[in-house]
Amino acid sequence: MRKQSALLVSQLCLFCLGCLPHSIQTTSKYSLEKTSEYALLVPSIVPVKTGEDFQTTRIVLSGNDKPRASATKQCSIQGPVFSLSPDAASTSDRWLITSPSIQGWQKRGGDIDVTAEWNSFTSALLGRKELGCFPKEVSLSSITNAIIEHIPLPANESLLFFYSFNGSSGFADLSPGMQIKIEQISIESRNGKATGGKPISLEAQYEVVPSSASGVSLQPSKASRRPSTRSSGQEESFFNLSSRFQATPLLRLFLETAKDGNTKQPALIGASNMADIESATKLIEQSNTGNCPASLTNVVCTPFAQGTGVSLLFPIWVNGKLSYRPIGTTLEYMIAILQANKKSRAIETISLKRPLATGGYAEVVFPRTMEDAGQILLLSGDRLTWDH
């Protein structure tokens, strides 16, 4: 789903602007609402229609070229949880997204398989895009992000909606600003035989950067530590990822997962279109070991050997300074790691501003408690400030 064109440009601009000493202006707001045990992030966008369990919101998907397919029923998506249809009362760049309302999530949220429903919906979006329902230069990621920013969503599923990540699948789509860190302990060797010397610590680090208007690429970081002498195994391969994935603007990283007694090692896949990414993902998920099954086609796939640590880090701005944190970091954790005498002041005065794919920032408003801060998963590019 998820990381191309205008989204890439806007995110890069946001990161660059973050280096400048100026105040961040917010154009909208998210509110953390928890009338029951089900916490939601609710945007400050008024729906055009609200029913008992569902609401309908208008979104705009503009492009320079007109869609090939006419705005008819063939472009509509009807699902039990998420639906999309052309706005017949408006121009062709306006669409109506129907999703659970706040009340609907609170009432039915525990009965919804959010991952399955969202994946089914985004697969249907991909099909409609290939049919020509949307302007050609509007990427699938731009479409999904426009939808995400307009509807209430379960707070604990934020990583799924923005990056395709959940705990069981263990993969995430890469977007500009992220960082990949690969670590391995190796043994020095000569002529293919270990010398018995001290272990060598190897570390490759990559920045995820925009690749023209079509996707992302990997840029080696100066923080990488390459071996000064020849070492055993195939560890050298993870120092060449930028060239290996140069022609694949869509990248998805699989982190190490353990399920039913099987451990799947990390792997990185790349392709030129999302359909190939999704097909490869299904084959990897069906594999007992993960990695890169021989049946993969139309993708570049690099497996990471056992014992190799692979981390996905998000850029987070903390009181004006850039910090990288692992995927899954919560707002509560950022407060908990402070010195004891600073935690109370931080929770009382903390501000969270979140970059929008459509431009600008949204203020995330929440009850000032550690419990509620624990409901908020930090996303790439989030900005935190608090009084010292």
Side-chain angles (χ1 to χ4, degrees):
M1 339 180 232
R2 302 153 174 140
K3 306 297 159 241
Q4 298 177 356
S5 68
L7 171 61
L8 302 174
V9 177
S10 65
Q11 285 187 332
L12 179 62
C13 292
L14 292 174
F15 290 127
C16 293
L17 289 173
C19 303
L20 302 177
H22 71 292
S23 60
I24 299 298
Q25 301 297 318
T26 56
T27 57
S28 61
K29 181 177 70 175
Y30 287 108
S31 298
L32 184 72
E33 300 194 16
K34 191 175 67 172
T35 57
S36 66
E37 294 302 314
Y38 210 70
L40 300 170
L41 279 175
V42 182
S44 57
I45 296 173
V46 180
V48 296
K49 179 182 178 182
T50 301
E52 182 177 353
D53 291 337
F54 289 89
Q55 66 174 46
T56 299
T57 308
R58 181 177 289 112
I59 63 171
V60 178
L61 301 174
S62 299
N64 295 326
D65 64 335
K66 293 183 179 180
R68 297 191 306 273
S70 59
T72 61
K73 290 183 179 180
Q74 66 177 327
C75 290
S76 297
I77 301 172
Q78 296 298 324
V81 178
F82 303 103
S83 299
L84 184 73
S85 61
D87 186 357
S90 187
T91 57
S92 60
D93 63 348
R94 284 165 171 75
W95 296 74
L96 298 175
I97 173 71
T98 299
S99 66
S101 61
I102 298 174
Q103 179 178 325
W105 279 116
Q106 299 290 0
K107 184 193 300 184
R108 304 177 56 215
D111 299 326
I112 296 174
D113 186 336
V114 180
T115 299
E117 292 297 340
W118 181 248
N119 288 344
S120 175
F121 177 69
T122 53
S123 293
L125 276 177
L126 176 60
R128 300 307 187 275
K129 177 170 173 54
E130 293 174 344
L131 187 63
C133 293
F134 310 113
K136 184 178 180 180
E137 75 273 20
V138 176
S139 66
L140 185 63
S141 62
S142 299
I143 299 169
T144 55
N145 279 278
I147 292 171
I148 291 166
E149 293 177 0
H150 282 73
I151 61 177
L153 295 172
N156 64 349
E157 299 284 3
S158 298
L159 299 176
L160 166 68
F161 288 99
F162 282 93
Y163 311 113
S164 310
F165 180 85
N166 65 34
S168 59
S169 64
F171 61 77
D173 294 317
L174 303 187
S175 65
M178 291 181 180
Q179 194 177 80
I180 300 176
K181 189 174 183 179
I182 308 165
E183 300 173 280
Q184 186 182 88
I185 302 298
S186 185
I187 302 298
E188 183 179 344
S189 66
R190 290 190 181 91
N191 299 321
K193 296 182 179 181
T195 62
K198 292 183 179 180
I200 303 170
S201 176
L202 306 177
E203 181 179 308
Q205 194 164 295
Y206 293 91
E207 310 293 336
V208 183
V209 299
S211 175
S212 65
S214 60
V216 297
S217 62
L218 299 178
Q219 179 175 299
S221 169
K222 294 180 180 179
S224 299
R225 294 200 304 269
R226 299 179 69 101
S228 57
T229 58
R230 200 70 178 167
S231 49
S232 62
Q234 300 177 351
E235 65 276 354
E236 282 287 324
S237 64
F238 62 68
F239 288 101
N240 303 318
L241 297 182
S242 56
S243 58
R244 180 165 171 73
F245 289 90
Q246 185 175 8
T248 57
L250 297 178
L251 300 178
R252 176 171 285 179
L253 177 66
F254 290 77
L255 300 172
E256 182 177 308
T257 58
K259 185 178 181 181
D260 300 329
N262 293 321
T263 298
K264 290 189 175 183
Q265 298 302 125
L268 179 65
I269 63 173
S272 59
N273 63 77
M274 189 51 63
D276 288 338
I277 288 281
E278 296 294 351
S279 296
T281 297
K282 291 179 181 178
L283 290 173
I284 292 174
E285 289 181 321
Q286 292 167 2
S287 168
N288 291 330
T289 59
N291 296 326
C292 301
S295 54
L296 290 182
T297 58
N298 301 322
V299 299
V300 176
C301 184
T302 290
F304 298 100
Q306 187 173 4
T308 303
V310 181
S311 303
L312 179 60
L313 307 175
F314 284 2
I316 307 295
W317 295 89
V318 182
N319 290 323
K321 295 182 179 180
L322 179 61
S323 175
Y324 286 91
R325 296 291 171 179
I327 185 172
T329 298
T330 65
L331 183 59
E332 176 189 26
Y333 174 83
M334 298 300 295
I335 300 171
I337 61 176
L338 297 175
Q339 296 178 2
N341 62 345
K342 295 182 178 180
K343 294 179 183 179
S344 177
R345 183 63 173 164
I347 191 65
E348 291 174 358
T349 62
I350 197 165
S351 170
L352 170 57
K353 295 181 180 179
R354 176 157 291 172
L356 300 170
T358 50
Y361 283 78
E363 181 84 24
V364 181
V365 180
F366 64 99
R368 302 308 178 92
T369 69
M370 290 293 280
E371 179 183 358
D372 288 293
Q375 299 286 337
I376 300 176
L377 290 159
L378 296 179
L379 305 183
S380 183
D382 277 355
R383 289 180 171 270
L384 303 176
T385 58
W386 58 77
D387 293 344
H388 298 284

